[in-house]
Amino acid sequence: MSSRKGQKGSARVVREQLARERRRRRTIWVSAAAVAVLVIAGLIGWSVWSSQRADDFTTPPGANAAGTGIVTGGGPVTVDVYEDFLCPACRQFEQTTGATLEQLVAENKAKVVYHPVAYLNRFSTTEYSTRSSAASGCAAAGGRFREYAKALFERQPPEGSAGLTDDQLIDIGAGVGLDRGSFGDCVRDDTYRTWTEHVTEEASRAGVTGTPTILVNGQPLADRSPQGLTSAVAAAGK
């Protein structure tokens, strides 16, 4: 008799253990499913937010269809120039090869797309990369993007400084023929700050990790000298 009771007791213990194990497994699966739902919802939410953010920007006149750069010329070869107005190497490229770019445009050999990115804000105490890029958008709106960009490089502040003030950026614009009133309002209102963010984000998505980056029909330009650029454009145009 006691043997049968012992067997029943053992069986009950086993059943209870199995029941607890089933409950534990159900709890794990329910928790995992809940986490998965939250992750999926979070990814969807982030995707929607990111998409909305990417689409929420003001594009200056003269930009390409994607809103990622200012276009000059209409030649058969596309040259993309990714530059930061605080970048010393970009200043050097402008001084050595900028005129060659303009010549290629004038000869209808190339279309140049300038992408003023803001990669170097960490080297300024006032987000100068962003402010100067946004100001170049204001210059594009006034039809003086190239003139203004060259003037910015001529007046380039040192890395680690506050950079030029808004008043100085406006003075430079007036110096290249922009209307001080409308251009000044554009700069002070940060009209094209969202555009600068868009240009910078899209450059990063495209794999641009530093400035200057020069692409000729999508291919990186290794030799950034005037001769190297001219040869690359000629080869791409064949």
Side-chain angles (χ1 to χ4, degrees), residues 14 17 20 24 29 33 43 52 58 60 86 112 117 120 135 145 147 166 174 181 193 204 212 217:
V14 171
Q17 289 177 339
R20 283 196 297 271
R24 187 182 70 84
W29 280 108
L43 289 173
Q52 289 175 341
T58 302
L86 190 58
V112 182
V117 297
L120 300 180
F145 174 82
E147 294 88 342
D166 284 353
R193 186 182 185 92
S204 296
N217 275 359

Side-chain angles (χ1 to χ4, degrees), residues 113-178:
V113 185
Y114 294 93
H115 308 265
V117 297
Y119 279 3
L120 300 180
N121 276 329
R122 64 188 184 279
F123 294 119
S124 166
T125 58
T126 63
E127 294 190 330
Y128 178 73
S129 291
T130 291
R131 293 191 300 109
S132 56
S133 173
S136 76
C138 296
R144 293 285 190 276
F145 174 82
R146 279 296 294 146
E147 294 88 342
Y148 189 68
K150 289 187 287 188
L152 284 180
F153 282 124
E154 290 172 2
R155 294 277 303 277
Q156 185 180 76
E159 291 182 329
S161 70
L164 303 178
T165 66
D166 284 353
D167 285 343
Q168 289 173 314
L169 291 174
I170 293 167
D171 287 342
I172 292 172
V176 299
L178 290 162

Side-chain angles (χ1 to χ4, degrees), residues 48-115:
V48 171
W49 174 84
S50 178
S51 176
Q52 289 175 341
R53 183 184 179 194
D55 292 337
D56 186 19
F57 61 93
T58 302
T59 305
N64 57 4
T68 61
I70 302 299
V71 180
T72 63
V77 176
T78 299
V79 180
D80 290 283
V81 179
Y82 293 86
E83 57 190 2
D84 188 309
F85 293 120
L86 190 58
C87 163
C90 297
R91 179 175 185 266
Q92 182 180 15
F93 175 76
E94 173 60 44
Q95 291 176 336
T96 59
T97 313
T100 303
L101 284 170
E102 294 177 346
Q103 181 180 352
L104 290 168
V105 167
E107 294 173 352
N108 200 36
K109 294 179 179 178
K111 173 179 71 175
V112 182
V113 185
Y114 294 93
H115 308 265

